[in-house]
Amino acid sequence: MSKLARIKKVNKPPILIISNTLDFATDYVCLELEQRKLNYLRVNRDLFAKYKIVFDVNRLELTISINGKRYLFSKNSLKAVYYRAPIYLRDIYQPGLSKEAQLYRTQWASFVRNLAVFEKAFWMNNPVSTFRAENKILQLYLAQKSKFKCPHTFVTNSKPKHVKGTYAVKSLDTALMRFGNKEAFTYTTILEDKEIAAANFALAPVVFQNYLSSKIDWRVTVVGETVYPVKVLKNNAGVFGDWRKDKGSLQFVSSELPKAIEKKCVQLLKQLQLSFGAIDLIETSRGFNFIEINPTGEWAWLVDAAELNIQKGICDVFQKNL
Amino acid sequence: MKKHILLENAHVYPLPRKHPQMKGYSYSDEKGYWTSKASLEAYVYNKDEEKPRTKKCDVETGEDQKGE
C-alpha cells in the first residue's frame, strides 16, 4: 500500500468515547450514534494494553490503533468527548493488586485525564469540571446561589450541640473502605438525636442535614438543557431514608417538575460547567429541596425502569457540537 | 471505644463484587457495544439480562467507578 493510501485509510472520528468494556450506558450511546450514522470511537480503559496509543503532544494529535485500524484525533478533528471514567482512583494500594495493575491503573488514569488538552472539543463532562463539581459543600453553596432551597447542613467532626429531632447523616465524599475480604460503603443514614449524642465523630468529618420527612425523592438527569425528572416511589409513596438501599422494589416514574425548578437545575449545571449531571431533589409539602448533584451520575437503568431514552438526549448534544 | 459514626452505620458486603459474565455475547471494538452471538441483538436491548438497576449493578460504589 502506498503512503498516500495509508494516510487515506486513517479514520478521524469526531466523537471519542472513553469508557470501560462493562459500562452498558456507553452501549446505549454507541447504538444511538450508529443509528444516526455518526462516526465515533469507543475506547475501553480495561483494554488499553491491547491498543497502540501515541499522543504527539506538540502537534496535539492522538493516534489509536485497534486490531490494525488507525484512528486519529487532532485539535481540529475532535469535536466531542464522552468521558465515562473515574477522575481519580481511590484504592490503588488495596492488597492483592499486582504492581503491574497499580502501574496500569495510575498511568492510564492520568493519560485519559490529560486528554482535557483538547479544550476546543465539547466534553461530557470535562474531568476538571467533574473534579470541582464533586465537592458537596461547593454544590450546596452554588445550589443556594441558584435559588434552590437546601436543608440546613453542617459538616463537623465534633459532637454537634443542640441537635434535636431526626437527621440525615452522610459522608462528605464517597466512602468506600476495604478490610480483609469485605468492603463497606456508607449510604445516607437517618438517625435520631439520641443516637447522634452517643456516636463517635472525631476521626473524620460528617455531613448532617435536617431530615425532611414525608418526602418524595426525585432523580433529575440533566443533559445540556434537557431535563429528565423521575420520582422515586415505593408502593406509590415516598421512600424512607436513602432510596438506593431499596433499589430492588422501587418505581421510577417519569414526571414533570415545575418549570422554575427545571430552570434551576439547568442553571446549576452551567455554574458547575457541566453538560451532564444527575441531581437528587426532595419534595415535601413545603416545596423542592436540593440534596446533591452527581456529575458522573448513572442513568442507564432509567431507559428500562422509566422508559426514558436519555441516550438520545446525549447524542443530540454531541450532534449539535459536530 | 465506639467506632466512628460512618463506620458504625456502613453497609458491609463480602468481596469480590460480581460482574456480569457476558456468556453468549461478544463485544465489537468497532461498534462499541455487546451483541448476542446467536441473535445479534444488542445486550442492552435484552430485557431479560441483568443491567445496572440503579447505579452500579448490585453495589453502589460511587457512580463513576470510583471503587473499581
Side-chain angles (χ1 to χ4, degrees):
Chain A
M1 192 188 292
S2 70
K3 191 178 174 190
L4 187 63
R6 272 204 311 275
I7 291 167
K8 274 187 181 166
K9 275 214 97 174
V10 176
N11 191 345
K12 292 184 180 176
I15 303 171
L16 174 64
I17 300 167
I18 301 157
S19 188
N20 187 294
T21 317
L22 291 178
D23 181 44
F24 301 117
T26 307
D27 282 30
Y28 280 113
V29 170
C30 290
L31 281 154
E32 183 63 28
L33 291 171
E34 184 187 50
Q35 204 180 0
R36 296 180 187 207
K37 298 189 170 36
L38 294 175
N39 190 5
Y40 61 92
L41 178 70
R42 171 180 180 169
V43 291
N44 294 307
R45 292 172 299 111
D46 50 322
L47 300 179
F48 274 4
K50 264 181 58 183
Y51 309 155
K52 284 181 188 158
I53 299 179
V54 180
F55 197 155
D56 184 328
V57 177
N58 297 69
R59 298 176 68 171
L60 267 192
E61 278 185 0
L62 170 66
T63 311
I64 304 176
S65 301
I66 304 175
N67 298 331
K69 291 191 177 149
R70 283 182 69 215
Y71 301 87
L72 179 75
F73 303 90
S74 70
K75 61 183 176 188
N76 292 324
S77 68
L78 181 60
K79 303 294 182 196
V81 182
Y82 189 34
Y83 189 90
R84 294 273 305 176
I87 301 306
Y88 59 95
L89 302 171
R90 295 161 195 247
D91 62 348
I92 54 158
Y93 304 115
Q94 61 175 293
L97 263 191
S98 67
K99 56 184 183 299
E100 287 80 9
Q102 291 178 53
L103 185 67
Y104 183 99
R105 296 172 65 170
T106 54
Q107 298 312 297
W108 283 121
S110 170
F111 183 84
V112 293
R113 277 199 310 267
N114 268 287
L115 296 182
V117 293
F118 286 112
E119 52 190 7
K120 270 172 66 186
F122 167 83
W123 283 77
M124 186 178 283
N125 284 318
N126 188 308
V128 177
S129 304
T130 299
F131 185 79
R132 177 172 176 263
E134 281 197 335
N135 295 295
K136 282 191 181 138
I137 296 174
L138 178 73
Q139 290 182 7
L140 286 161
Y141 168 71
L142 292 177
Q144 287 192 78
K145 274 181 91 173
S146 294
K147 307 273 185 247
F148 264 117
K149 206 186 281 182
C150 300
H152 186 211
T153 305
F154 49 104
V155 180
T156 179
N157 79 327
S158 74
K159 205 162 284 188
K161 287 173 187 162
H162 314 303
V163 287
K164 202 175 175 189
T166 312
Y167 290 83
V169 178
K170 55 188 172 185
S171 57
L172 186 55
D173 190 16
T174 298
L176 185 70
M177 295 147 290
R178 285 208 170 91
F179 46 98
N181 59 349
K182 287 182 181 162
E183 198 168 71
F185 179 79
T186 58
Y187 289 99
T188 300
T189 309
I190 310 305
L191 294 176
E192 297 296 331
D193 43 16
K194 281 180 192 162
E195 295 168 285
I196 292 167
N200 183 350
F201 293 86
L203 184 66
V206 178
V207 180
F208 283 87
Q209 279 182 325
N210 279 355
Y211 180 63
L212 302 166
S213 57
S214 306
K215 59 157 181 131
I216 291 180
D217 290 280
W218 288 70
R219 165 50 76 102
V220 185
T221 306
V222 186
V223 180
E225 299 205 348
T226 307
V227 176
Y228 300 87
V230 166
K231 273 186 198 179
V232 184
L233 302 174
K234 186 176 183 181
N235 299 325
N236 298 316
V239 181
F240 177 80
D242 192 328
W243 57 265
R244 295 172 302 178
K245 286 181 185 170
D246 233 346
K247 55 194 175 188
S249 56
L250 299 179
Q251 304 150 265
F252 299 94
V253 184
S254 174
S255 309
E256 263 188 46
L257 276 173
K259 286 284 168 234
I261 301 293
E262 275 196 5
K263 261 190 176 173
K264 286 176 190 176
C265 291
V266 173
Q267 172 65 22
L268 180 62
L269 254 78
K270 284 185 180 158
Q271 280 191 297
L272 289 165
Q273 295 176 320
L274 300 173
S275 56
F276 175 93
I279 298 174
D280 291 329
L281 299 179
I282 284 182
E283 182 188 6
T284 68
S285 57
R286 302 173 77 179
F288 286 85
N289 289 265
F290 172 87
I291 301 301
E292 65 177 60
I293 177 167
N294 306 289
T296 57
E298 192 51 85
W299 53 266
W301 94 94
L302 294 170
V303 177
D304 284 345
E307 296 182 349
L308 285 177
N309 286 312
I310 295 170
Q311 72 278 17
K312 288 184 191 287
I314 291 171
C315 294
D316 286 346
V317 178
F318 289 153
Q319 206 161 2
K320 218 173 99 183
N321 282 281
L322 296 183
Chain B
M1 193 174 140
K2 252 194 141 174
K3 279 196 271 188
H4 185 270
I5 189 167
L6 293 176
L7 296 174
E8 188 85 29
N9 292 286
H11 168 58
V12 180
Y13 46 88
L15 287 173
R17 283 187 231 135
K18 284 183 203 158
H19 293 291
Q21 293 305 301
M22 306 311 291
K23 255 189 180 170
Y25 287 89
S26 64
Y27 177 78
S28 162
D29 282 320
E30 217 158 315
K31 291 172 181 290
Y33 56 85
W34 292 87
T35 51
S36 161
K37 286 178 190 166
S39 67
L40 300 181
E41 186 192 30
Y43 176 81
V44 290
Y45 291 162
N46 186 340
K47 297 207 183 232
D48 297 328
E49 293 292 357
E50 192 185 342
K51 278 171 280 171
R53 171 70 184 147
T54 57
K55 295 183 180 171
K56 284 283 167 267
C57 284
D58 297 314
V59 175
E60 168 57 70
T61 63
E63 298 178 305
D64 62 354
Q65 301 161 20
K66 294 178 186 97
E68 70 175 19

